[in-house]
């Protein structure tokens, strides 16, 4: 789906990465920074990136911890066995990022607490914990209907088969919003000062045509630039370089300042397209960094995006790198305030945003029951619909479109209202799974303002993104938190709608998110 002109609220523009330096924060030796819970025989839960089990947590235990030059840990599953010998528990090596300790047992207060419709829970099914949302609390038999968004399935569970959903964040268990009510109020008071509430916190979407025209004007032979790429593992890194020559309409031959060819002597040269090239950001030597500031840190010949976690008395700064989940200390001379090159201008991102470990909320695509065929009463050809993405980085987002035609029993062709094809002119058409489409939600007029913890959809970069209101601001504005990207952005009331789920042919309004 690379042709889509859209952005995740967390992805900077251009949303590209770099994989040239031999090491980066993600590949440094991690043995001395192993999580404290990783010990032999420790009870853990294990996740996987396999499509059929994304969003699932398997109970198990640690067999061996990683060696000094490895990030893989051997685990033994509690509810899965070897294929060739079902009497033996399955053992395999997994990356430490796929492990977390067993969640604590529910407190007495939680056992007595009612589970409400719209609440996020983990449901135990076939020996695995799956993340879902309660859509109905049945009084008659005491069961709960739980909806799994990505697989479009709803299953009934007993109360003892559910637990309140929590995330393992910064070596501690947290409820979905990651803090108690008191802590939330204290930290939010620092996130947005009174004199900054009127500032625009959203980074505008990059316009390819504008960016191309500006690149032609600015980047002549010999121009000093910064370059990124699409290569995996180095999100948000930019490398110093200079333009050697322009190649065609969209590409440049560039020569890196610090990266070398395989011989280790000659400067590395390669092609880069205009979306991966930008001028160096302006200097900001006099700025004092504060906790929560998004910054660039110079490491291994490149500038890496991180966030300030602490400021030391000796002038050094503690930085958290979200993609590699690492913390490092830097001197002031190796840091700069993070800026985005957007349509020929430098833009500042949201300041003092909360830094949290990336939540492992990924689609649940297991086949626990046969998917129901699409109901054509709701989706005739030409019907306006919303299309949900299963592309990584765009989960929990919906885009306006219309149904063009059906293709077999499980596919259909849609035409997006706002997304454009590669030529930037024609509406993007795309074949999607039928379970990815739904009717456009019923318009719910919000007479009263949204409240803290309301689950909402926020209109951003032509799509509706699922978030939770974290703070009510002045002038009908709100801070909305996106759990998948650990980011908070500011929205006006007119850019929000109450979150609803399309379940079994009807809309289910969401309840408030819970903080436990």
């Amino acid at each position: 789906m690379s042709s889509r002109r859209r952005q995740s609220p967390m992805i900077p523009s251009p949303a590209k990465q770099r994989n040239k330096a031999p090491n980066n924060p993600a590949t440094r030796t991690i043995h001395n920074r192993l999580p404290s819970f990783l010990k032999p025989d420790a009870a853990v839960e294990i996740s996987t990136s396999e499509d059929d089990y994304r969003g699932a947590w398997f109970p198990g235990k640690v067999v061996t911890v990683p060696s000094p030059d490895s990030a893989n840990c051997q685990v033994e599953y509690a509810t899965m066995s070897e294929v060739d010998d079902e009497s033996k528990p399955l053992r395999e090596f997994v990356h430490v990022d796929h492990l977390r300790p067993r969640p604590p047992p529910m407190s007495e207060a939680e056992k007595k607490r009612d589970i409400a419709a719209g609440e996020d829970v983990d449901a135990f099914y076939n020996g695995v914990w799956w993340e879902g949302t309660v859509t109905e609390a049945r009084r008659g038999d005491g069961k709960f209907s739980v909806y799994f968004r990505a697989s479009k399935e709803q299953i009934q569970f007993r109360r003892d088969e559910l637990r309140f959903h929590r995330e393992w964040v910064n070596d501690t268990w947290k409820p979905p919003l990651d803090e108690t009510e008191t802590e939330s109020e204290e930290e939010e008071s620092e996130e947005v000062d009174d004199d900054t509430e009127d500032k625009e916190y959203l980074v505008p979407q990059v316009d390819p045509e504008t960016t191309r025209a500006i690149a032609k004007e600015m980047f002549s032979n010999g121009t000093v630039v910064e370059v990124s790429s699409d290569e995996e593992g180095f999100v948000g890194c930019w490398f110093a370089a200079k333009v050697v020559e322009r190649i065609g309409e969209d590409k440049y031959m560039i020569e890196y300042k610090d990266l070398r060819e395989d011989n280790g002597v000659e400067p590395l040269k390669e092609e880069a397209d205009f979306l991966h090239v930008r001028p160096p950001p302006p200097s900001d030597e006099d700025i004092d960094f504060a906790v929560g500031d998004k910054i660039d840190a110079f490491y291994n010949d490149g500038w890496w995006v991180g966030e300030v976690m602490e400021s030391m008395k000796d002038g050094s700064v503690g930085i958290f790198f979200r993609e590699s989940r690492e913390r490092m200390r830097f001197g002031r001379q190796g840091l700069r305030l993070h800026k985005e090159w957007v349509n020929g201008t430098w833009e500042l991102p949201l300041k003092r945003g909360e830094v949290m470990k990336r939540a492992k909320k990924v689609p649940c695509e297991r086949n626990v029951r046969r998917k129901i065929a699409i109901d054509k009463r709701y989706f005739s050809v030409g019907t306006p619909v919303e299309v949900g993405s299963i592309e990584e980085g765009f989960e929990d987002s919906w885009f306006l479109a219309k149904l063009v035609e059906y293709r077999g029993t499980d596919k259909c062709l849609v035409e997006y209202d706002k997304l454009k094809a590669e030529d930037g002119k024609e509406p993007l058409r795309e074949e999607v799974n039928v379970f990815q489409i739904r009717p456009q939600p019923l318009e719910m007029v919000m007479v009263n303002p949204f409240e803290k913890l309301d689950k909402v959809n926020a209109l951003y970069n032509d799509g509706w993104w699922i978030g939770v209101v974290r703070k009510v601001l002045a002038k009908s504005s709100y801070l909305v938190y996106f759990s998948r990207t650990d980011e908070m952005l500011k929205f006006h009331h007119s850019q929000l709608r109450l979150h609803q789920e399309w379940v079994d042919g009807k809309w289910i309004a969401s309840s408030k998110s819970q903080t436990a």
Side-chain angles (χ1 to χ4, degrees):
M1 302 185 186
S2 59
S3 61
R4 293 192 175 193
R5 308 292 186 191
R6 61 184 181 188
Q7 293 174 267
S8 165
M10 177 52 203
I11 297 177
S13 303
K16 307 300 178 185
Q17 306 169 0
R18 185 76 203 148
N19 190 14
K20 291 299 177 186
N23 294 299
N24 67 42
T27 59
R28 301 177 70 220
T29 302
I30 68 165
H31 191 261
N32 293 330
R33 294 184 296 278
L34 287 178
S36 59
F37 69 87
L38 276 187
K39 299 176 182 179
D41 293 323
V44 294
E45 290 190 343
I46 309 152
S47 67
T48 176
S49 57
E50 294 182 28
D51 288 341
D52 288 342
Y53 293 94
R54 299 188 73 184
W57 289 92
F58 296 79
K61 69 177 182 178
V62 174
V63 178
T64 60
V65 298
S67 60
D69 59 348
S70 172
N72 292 324
C73 182
Q74 188 181 33
V75 297
E76 179 180 291
Y77 291 86
T79 58
M80 297 183 67
S81 57
E82 296 284 354
V83 176
D84 53 356
D85 188 351
E86 294 186 357
S87 64
K88 293 182 178 181
L90 174 64
R91 288 189 175 189
E92 66 178 5
F93 286 90
V94 300
H95 195 279
V96 294
D97 285 347
H98 288 286
L99 299 177
R100 69 182 187 185
R102 292 270 184 93
M106 285 195 296
S107 64
E108 291 302 318
E110 284 185 326
K111 291 179 181 178
K112 298 177 181 178
R113 197 178 104 194
D114 292 334
I115 299 179
E119 192 152 19
D120 292 331
V121 295
D122 297 336
F124 196 68
Y125 186 86
N126 283 344
V128 185
W129 290 99
W130 305 87
E131 297 175 10
T133 301
V134 175
T135 57
E136 182 184 15
R138 298 167 41 153
R139 296 184 178 180
D141 55 10
K143 291 187 177 181
F144 299 84
S145 298
V146 178
Y147 175 67
F148 303 96
R149 182 179 297 116
S151 60
K152 308 298 180 186
E153 293 170 316
Q154 183 169 273
I155 303 175
Q156 294 177 8
F157 293 89
R158 300 190 308 271
R159 177 64 174 81
D160 61 358
E161 295 174 315
L162 302 178
R163 68 186 185 192
F164 293 104
H165 178 69
R166 279 183 166 82
E167 299 287 351
W168 179 245
V169 179
N170 295 335
D171 295 328
T172 185
W173 286 107
K174 297 289 184 180
L177 292 183
D178 248 11
E179 51 201 359
T180 65
E181 190 75 9
T182 301
E183 292 171 338
S184 177
E185 292 295 336
E186 293 175 351
E187 294 185 10
E188 287 169 356
S189 65
E190 299 177 355
E191 290 164 357
V192 181
D193 298 330
D194 292 338
D195 61 351
T196 61
E197 285 188 350
D198 292 334
K199 291 184 178 179
E200 179 57 62
Y201 282 75
L202 297 179
V203 177
Q205 185 176 11
V206 170
D207 178 67
E209 295 303 321
T210 301
T211 305
R212 180 187 287 109
I214 292 172
K216 288 181 180 179
E217 181 179 344
M218 294 187 64
F219 304 145
S220 57
N221 295 355
T223 302
V224 176
V225 294
E226 289 187 350
V227 184
S228 68
S229 87
D230 287 330
E231 298 176 27
E232 184 179 359
F234 295 79
V235 174
C237 188
W238 290 84
F239 295 84
K242 69 177 180 180
V243 175
V244 176
E245 62 178 341
R246 198 168 96 188
I247 303 174
E249 291 295 312
D250 296 337
K251 294 186 177 182
Y252 298 85
M253 176 62 68
I254 56 97
E255 178 182 288
Y256 291 96
K257 176 182 177 182
D258 300 305
L259 305 183
R260 303 295 169 185
E261 297 283 2
D262 291 339
N263 60 19
V265 178
E266 298 296 325
L268 175 64
K269 292 182 180 181
E270 68 176 6
E271 292 183 5
D273 69 59
F274 69 97
L275 287 174
H276 297 78
V277 182
R278 70 182 189 184
S283 175
D284 49 20
E285 295 180 357
D286 297 331
I287 292 180
D288 292 327
F289 298 116
V291 173
D293 280 346
K294 185 174 288 187
I295 54 86
D296 296 337
F298 192 75
Y299 181 80
N300 278 338
D301 303 325
W303 291 96
W304 303 82
V305 179
E307 295 183 56
V308 176
M309 295 294 293
E310 54 184 340
S311 182
M312 314 297 179
K313 292 183 179 180
D314 61 3
S316 62
V317 180
I319 306 299
F320 173 69
F321 297 95
R322 179 176 289 129
E323 292 299 324
S324 63
R325 301 193 181 100
E326 282 200 318
R327 298 175 188 237
M328 299 173 62
R329 288 189 181 183
F330 290 83
R332 175 62 179 81
Q333 68 276 11
L335 302 176
R336 69 188 186 191
L337 197 62
H338 180 72
K339 304 178 183 71
E340 302 288 356
W341 180 245
V342 181
N343 302 330
T345 60
W346 288 103
E347 301 283 351
L348 291 174
L350 174 69
K351 293 188 64 177
R352 290 169 174 78
E354 179 181 335
V355 181
M356 291 177 291
K357 183 176 178 181
R358 182 180 177 87
K360 291 182 176 293
K361 287 189 175 182
V362 289
C364 172
E365 298 192 22
R366 69 206 186 290
N367 292 319
V368 295
R369 69 175 187 180
R370 184 179 180 182
K371 289 185 172 64
I372 301 174
I374 190 168
D375 193 335
K376 297 185 179 181
R377 291 178 302 170
Y378 303 108
F379 308 109
S380 57
V381 172
T383 299
V385 295
E386 288 189 347
V387 183
S389 176
I390 57 177
E391 181 181 355
E392 185 175 359
F394 295 95
E395 302 97 337
D396 283 354
S397 64
W398 293 89
F399 295 83
L400 296 177
K402 68 178 180 180
L403 180 61
V404 176
E405 65 180 12
Y406 287 99
R407 293 182 174 179
T409 59
D410 60 353
K411 300 283 186 181
C412 60
L413 181 68
V414 297
E415 179 180 291
Y416 292 96
D417 287 6
K418 301 294 185 180
L419 305 183
K420 301 300 181 182
E422 290 183 345
D423 60 9
K425 299 177 182 179
E426 297 297 323
L428 174 64
R429 287 193 172 195
E430 183 176 51
E431 183 179 85
V432 299
N433 298 305
V434 294
F435 64 79
Q436 290 177 247
I437 68 173
R438 68 182 188 184
Q440 293 184 6
L442 300 173
E443 184 174 355
M444 300 179 67
V445 179
M446 295 295 294
V447 178
N448 297 319
F450 292 103
E451 298 179 352
K452 184 177 179 180
L453 304 185
D454 278 345
K455 188 176 287 188
V456 296
N457 297 154
L459 183 60
Y460 182 75
N461 282 331
D462 302 324
W464 290 96
W465 302 79
I466 300 176
V468 176
V469 173
R470 291 296 301 276
K471 188 174 183 180
V472 179
L473 305 176
K475 299 182 179 180
S476 300
S477 296
Y478 306 86
L479 278 185
V480 178
Y481 169 65
F482 302 91
S483 62
R484 286 190 179 274
T485 58
D486 296 332
E487 186 74 332
M488 274 190 288
L489 300 176
K490 183 180 178 182
F491 291 89
H492 187 265
H493 184 91
S494 60
Q495 296 172 292
L496 301 178
R497 69 186 187 190
L498 196 64
H499 178 69
Q500 302 176 76
E501 294 283 0
W502 179 248
V503 182
D504 290 340
K506 61 182 180 180
W507 288 106
I508 304 295
S510 176
S511 69
K512 288 182 181 292
S513 180
Q514 303 294 320
T515 58

